[in-house]
Amino acid sequence: METRPNSIEDWPSRAWNLLSKLRDQSPLVQCITNFVSMDLMANTLLSAGASPAMIHSIEEIPDFTPHARSLCINVGTLSSDWLPAMKAAVVLANKFRKPWVLDPVAAGASGFRLNACLELVGMKPTVIRGNGSEIIALFKASLGASKGVDSSHESTDAMEAAKSLAQASGAIVAVSGAVDIITDGNRVVGAHNGVPMMQKITATGCAVTALIAAFVAVDPLHALEATASAFSIFGIAGELGMNMAKGPASLRMHLIDSLYSLDQVALLSHTKITSL
Amino acid sequence: METRPNSIEDWPSRAWNLLSKLRDQSPLVQCITNFVSMDLMANTLLSAGASPAMIHSIEEIPDFTPHARSLCINVGTLSSDWLPAMKAAVVLANKFRKPWVLDPVAAGASGFRLNACLELVGMKPTVIRGNGSEIIALFKASLGASKGVDSSHESTDAMEAAKSLAQASGAIVAVSGAVDIITDGNRVVGAHNGVPMMQKITATGCAVTALIAAFVAVDPLHALEATASAFSIFGIAGELGMNMAKGPASLRMHLIDSLYSLDQVALLSHTKITSL
Amino acid sequence: METRPNSIEDWPSRAWNLLSKLRDQSPLVQCITNFVSMDLMANTLLSAGASPAMIHSIEEIPDFTPHARSLCINVGTLSSDWLPAMKAAVVLANKFRKPWVLDPVAAGASGFRLNACLELVGMKPTVIRGNGSEIIALFKASLGASKGVDSSHESTDAMEAAKSLAQASGAIVAVSGAVDIITDGNRVVGAHNGVPMMQKITATGCAVTALIAAFVAVDPLHALEATASAFSIFGIAGELGMNMAKGPASLRMHLIDSLYSLDQVALLSHTKITSL
């Protein structure tokens, strides 16, 4: 039996309240991320109202990380010299009780990457956000389940993997897909916003992970709700953007513009989050 | 005497068939490339229908490279710690008979860079794509021929250098310019698409090299034809984009949108590839 | 008493002459900069008419830097392995009397970063361009004055810090803000162009620093005037772009387009530079 049934959850209002809080507080979000996505992640965070900081040098972690409100770790272009800084930042985030989010990009692409991801999963992320292949790869902890950075599994196939991973790790596990799935291992919520063409823009997955980091920064005690809201809002920005887009590059532009100017009326009427 | 005269080559149909194949197969293209171009390269590959993977860490090469359909090596922001990964990936690409493409960005900018490029040329790339200055620098293997990353030679001046380099290296050599030149050392083909403003967008050269990597992935036995087709299609996307653009930044957007939605009618009517 | 009062300074004509010179000469500008801003910096330089080169490897500095007309050093994603290349390039720029510009991004974010910035300030930059927090942090040489990369001080608060820093360092010090302030420690000039939404686009500060590097390349003996002109022109591009923009992402595009096509009439009528 669900302790917090959807019938009493007013998701649109919750999402709007979180976005308003984010815009008011402009939380500092530290991103240790990949080279491909830095631009889109920073611009996504700025458009949502957050304050991004792409600071990854291990020399800077002790001084800087304690000032961040949340941390986003993304292994997209991982190399062995970046991993210690990621771990050092995570240790500090945990010490200072800051929420942190893990994006296990292409988790199954190599043994090195999978092991790094498993180590990070073991360090108690607040949220893990991946596509179906990545979440399944983490769950199976085996090579070959992920083909590059694109998903070759439908997110619905990954629901059981996500629930198991959430239970084992203690993290909220979120799976991007036609319907985005968010689970704490028990409760499962679906975010039904977004358009398929967003997959044709590089780093949209990374960008939504960064947005999740901003949302959990302003509501760290309700990470599942913050994650679902971030998914839905990013998806709504995509839907509104799609009304003006002629292809992936103009969609990218209109998505960011729409995220920046998203108002209460549009948000309340578009938010589609349900229990699954 | 040419063995495959242009009169019996239906270039527009060939280009369309290759693009269709690319969209159907969505080949995984590994890019070890520079920091400036990663975003545009990934988005170009996605818009064309390919599946990009920007994976450069030497720890990941043994597991990942064998799964890629082709490899794109670009030395734009080369440093000594990246070169071993480039070579390791090339060795595996050669071992598994995957085509790979070299972009010798600013080959003449330093002795370090020129030597690295010459080493890579010696490792038997399927295609080498540069501007006139870069190809001449490689040919002359001497410093000073290249001024930064922009071309200070017309591509036509580079034709003889390209033919000689192709003969010496065994690679298809492609020179970007007002007319793009593609040669196997004997046959020379020109791709006449594109607009001058594309040179005012950073990384368009890198992006067309990535597109060549995607095209040779789906037709590795006809690398000259695949290269000419990639040039022409990227140029057509630029021409269609230029109809809507007001400057370099909007051209960049409309080019990617046009590449994504390029259809058979537009492609067949715009493709201009000839024997030279 | 001012030796060059504003009443005899025709700023709009000066700015137009400098932009024309830049477009004619297309100076090669070497950028050793952060991963987030490389794309926007390169596209800003190209649109303005300069020739960007993002070359940061220490192996290449001795061969390459002497050919550059100016150098832009930006510590946005600083790590210990990049700092020696920055210093080596600065040494060569100084040796060959090339102007160089320092962008002390988030100078106060860590002791490591602040020390690196102070070392670079001590190497005699031609221009230092930061936001209020960064300039104050450099001035105070103390931690905690800067919150991430966004400014939490109004630029007017930073005027005294800027003047003191200019006197101590010998550099022109420029502070971005609602009014951009440029000072040699004695004279203070304000550039009043630009729109607030530019702060919602990542790397616009880095981009204007790169543009300053291009302007000082074509007028190294009048660095204050070149800096003020670069600020004003970038701001005008933002104002013209804002007429078409619907949010930060479209503003970014229209700004670059507007910079590319900025003509004499628009520039002369929009340039607002005054003595302060």
Side-chain angles (χ1 to χ4, degrees):
Chain A
M1 204 181 102
E2 250 184 347
T3 52
R4 303 168 63 189
N6 183 254
S7 53
I8 63 159
E9 182 82 75
D10 180 357
W11 281 105
S13 294
R14 179 183 278 275
W16 175 250
N17 289 340
L18 283 174
L19 181 60
S20 303
K21 221 166 161 182
L22 177 55
R23 288 172 173 173
D24 285 347
Q25 299 183 6
S26 190
L28 181 61
V29 179
Q30 181 182 5
C31 301
I32 307 185
T33 186
N34 69 75
F35 300 120
V36 189
S37 70
M38 286 183 185
D39 176 273
L40 187 61
M41 282 175 70
N43 280 318
T44 298
L45 288 170
L46 284 170
S47 295
S51 180
M54 272 59 189
I55 287 186
H56 66 268
S57 174
I58 195 159
E59 286 90 350
E60 305 202 81
I61 306 292
D63 286 346
F64 186 76
T65 302
H67 296 288
R69 291 274 304 275
S70 67
L71 174 68
C72 179
I73 300 287
N74 176 307
V75 300
T77 52
L78 187 65
S79 57
S80 53
D81 51 335
W82 279 52
L83 191 53
M86 292 179 179
K87 290 191 211 168
V90 164
V91 166
L92 281 174
N94 286 341
K95 180 179 169 189
F96 290 93
R97 298 177 183 275
K98 317 274 181 155
W100 69 280
V101 181
L102 173 65
D103 194 326
V105 181
S110 74
F112 168 72
R113 186 178 288 247
L114 187 58
N115 287 335
C117 288
L118 291 175
E119 273 193 276
L120 290 163
V121 168
M123 295 177 82
K124 300 281 173 197
T126 313
V127 183
I128 304 169
R129 200 290 316 166
N131 63 33
S133 297
E134 291 155 355
I135 298 303
I136 290 169
L138 281 186
F139 173 60
K140 293 191 178 174
S142 63
L143 291 177
S146 182
K147 178 207 174 202
V149 295
D150 296 325
S151 183
S152 49
H153 293 84
E154 280 306 303
S155 66
T156 45
D157 300 340
M159 193 189 291
E160 289 313 309
K163 287 176 75 170
S164 300
L165 184 62
Q167 287 162 4
S169 67
I172 302 299
V173 175
V175 188
S176 292
V179 176
D180 305 310
I181 293 168
I182 309 98
T183 182
D184 59 8
N186 180 27
R187 202 175 157 206
V188 183
V189 164
H192 303 258
N193 294 106
V195 294
M197 196 187 276
M198 291 164 73
Q199 293 179 269
K200 293 293 177 187
I201 309 166
T202 199
T204 44
C206 307
V208 81
T209 303
L211 197 61
I212 291 168
F215 273 74
V216 295
V218 296
D219 196 4
L221 298 180
H222 301 95
L224 187 149
E225 290 80 358
T227 301
S229 298
F231 264 125
S232 192
I233 285 170
F234 194 71
I236 292 169
E239 292 169 15
L240 298 174
M242 196 67 207
N243 294 334
M244 293 170 281
K246 294 178 183 165
S250 52
L251 176 57
R252 174 179 158 149
M253 180 180 78
H254 293 304
L255 186 159
I256 295 294
D257 279 2
S258 298
L259 179 57
Y260 178 78
S261 57
L262 186 60
D263 62 21
Q264 188 172 7
V265 171
L267 188 150
L268 292 181
S269 64
H270 282 77
T271 301
K272 285 186 199 148
I273 303 177
T274 62
S275 285
L276 292 181
Chain B
M1 203 181 102
E2 249 183 348
T3 51
R4 303 169 63 189
N6 183 255
S7 55
I8 62 158
E9 182 80 76
D10 180 357
W11 281 104
S13 294
R14 180 184 278 274
W16 174 249
N17 288 341
L18 283 174
L19 181 60
S20 303
K21 221 167 161 180
L22 176 54
R23 289 172 173 174
D24 286 348
Q25 297 182 7
S26 191
L28 181 62
V29 179
Q30 182 183 3
C31 301
I32 305 184
T33 186
N34 69 75
F35 300 119
V36 190
S37 70
M38 285 183 184
D39 176 273
L40 188 61
M41 282 175 69
N43 280 318
T44 299
L45 287 169
L46 283 170
S47 294
S51 179
M54 271 58 190
I55 286 185
H56 67 267
S57 174
I58 195 160
E59 286 90 350
E60 304 201 83
I61 306 293
D63 287 346
F64 186 75
T65 303
H67 296 288
R69 291 276 302 276
S70 66
L71 175 66
C72 179
I73 300 286
N74 176 305
V75 300
T77 53
L78 188 64
S79 57
S80 53
D81 52 334
W82 279 51
L83 190 55
M86 291 178 178
K87 291 192 211 167
V90 164
V91 166
L92 280 175
N94 285 341
K95 180 178 169 190
F96 289 94
R97 297 175 184 277
K98 316 275 180 156
W100 68 281
V101 181
L102 174 64
D103 193 326
V105 180
S110 74
F112 168 72
R113 188 179 288 247
L114 187 59
N115 287 335
C117 287
L118 291 175
E119 273 193 276
L120 290 163
V121 168
M123 294 177 83
K124 301 280 173 199
T126 312
V127 182
I128 303 168
R129 199 291 314 168
N131 62 33
S133 297
E134 292 156 355
I135 298 302
I136 289 168
L138 281 186
F139 173 60
K140 291 191 180 173
S142 63
L143 290 179
S146 182
K147 178 207 173 203
V149 295
D150 296 325
S151 182
S152 50
H153 293 84
E154 280 305 304
S155 67
T156 45
D157 299 340
M159 194 188 291
E160 289 313 308
K163 286 175 76 170
S164 300
L165 184 61
Q167 286 162 5
S169 67
I172 301 300
V173 175
V175 188
S176 292
V179 176
D180 305 310
I181 292 168
I182 308 101
T183 181
D184 59 8
N186 180 28
R187 201 175 157 205
V188 183
V189 163
H192 304 257
N193 294 105
V195 294
M197 197 186 278
M198 291 163 74
Q199 291 179 267
K200 293 292 177 188
I201 310 166
T202 198
T204 44
C206 307
V208 80
T209 303
L211 197 61
I212 291 168
F215 273 75
V216 296
V218 297
D219 196 2
L221 299 181
H222 301 95
L224 187 150
E225 290 81 356
T227 301
S229 298
F231 264 126
S232 191
I233 285 169
F234 194 71
I236 292 168
E239 293 169 14
L240 298 175
M242 197 67 206
N243 294 334
M244 293 170 280
K246 293 176 184 166
S250 52
L251 177 57
R252 174 179 159 152
M253 180 180 78
H254 292 304
L255 186 159
I256 296 294
D257 279 1
S258 297
L259 179 57
Y260 177 77
S261 57
L262 186 60
D263 63 21
Q264 189 171 7
V265 171
L267 188 151
L268 293 180
S269 64
H270 282 78
T271 301
K272 285 187 199 145
I273 303 175
T274 62
S275 286
L276 292 181
Chain C
M1 203 181 104
E2 248 185 348
T3 52
R4 302 168 63 189
N6 182 254
S7 53
I8 63 158
E9 181 81 76
D10 181 357
W11 282 105
S13 294
R14 181 184 277 275
W16 174 250
N17 288 340
L18 283 174
L19 181 61
S20 302
K21 222 167 162 181
L22 177 55
R23 288 173 174 172
D24 285 349
Q25 297 181 6
S26 191
L28 181 62
V29 179
Q30 182 182 4
C31 301
I32 307 184
T33 185
N34 69 75
F35 300 120
V36 190
S37 69
M38 287 184 183
D39 176 273
L40 187 62
M41 282 175 69
N43 280 318
T44 298
L45 287 169
L46 284 169
S47 295
S51 180
M54 271 60 189
I55 286 186
H56 66 269
S57 175
I58 195 160
E59 287 89 351
E60 304 202 81
I61 305 292
D63 287 345
F64 186 76
T65 303
H67 297 288
R69 292 275 303 277
S70 66
L71 175 66
C72 179
I73 301 286
N74 176 306
V75 300
T77 52
L78 187 65
S79 56
S80 53
D81 51 335
W82 279 53
L83 191 54
M86 291 178 178
K87 291 192 211 166
V90 164
V91 166
L92 282 174
N94 285 340
K95 181 179 170 189
F96 290 95
R97 297 175 184 276
K98 317 275 181 156
W100 69 281
V101 181
L102 173 64
D103 193 327
V105 181
S110 73
F112 167 72
R113 187 179 289 246
L114 187 58
N115 287 334
C117 288
L118 291 175
E119 274 194 276
L120 291 163
V121 167
M123 295 177 82
K124 300 280 172 199
T126 313
V127 183
I128 303 169
R129 200 290 315 165
N131 62 34
S133 297
E134 292 155 356
I135 298 303
I136 290 169
L138 281 186
F139 172 60
K140 293 192 179 173
S142 63
L143 289 178
S146 181
K147 178 206 173 203
V149 296
D150 295 325
S151 182
S152 51
H153 293 84
E154 279 307 303
S155 65
T156 46
D157 299 341
M159 193 188 291
E160 289 313 308
K163 286 176 77 171
S164 301
L165 184 61
Q167 286 162 4
S169 67
I172 301 299
V173 175
V175 188
S176 293
V179 176
D180 305 310
I181 292 168
I182 308 99
T183 181
D184 58 8
N186 180 28
R187 201 176 158 206
V188 183
V189 164
H192 304 257
N193 294 106
V195 293
M197 197 187 276
M198 291 163 74
Q199 293 179 267
K200 293 293 178 187
I201 310 166
T202 198
T204 44
C206 307
V208 80
T209 303
L211 196 62
I212 291 168
F215 273 74
V216 296
V218 297
D219 196 3
L221 299 181
H222 301 95
L224 186 150
E225 290 81 357
T227 301
S229 299
F231 263 124
S232 192
I233 285 170
F234 194 71
I236 292 168
E239 293 169 15
L240 298 175
M242 197 67 207
N243 294 334
M244 293 171 281
K246 294 176 184 165
S250 52
L251 176 57
R252 174 179 160 150
M253 181 180 79
H254 293 304
L255 186 160
I256 296 294
D257 279 1
S258 297
L259 180 57
Y260 177 79
S261 57
L262 187 59
D263 62 22
Q264 189 171 7
V265 171
L267 188 149
L268 293 181
S269 63
H270 282 77
T271 301
K272 286 186 199 146
I273 303 176
T274 63
S275 285
L276 291 182

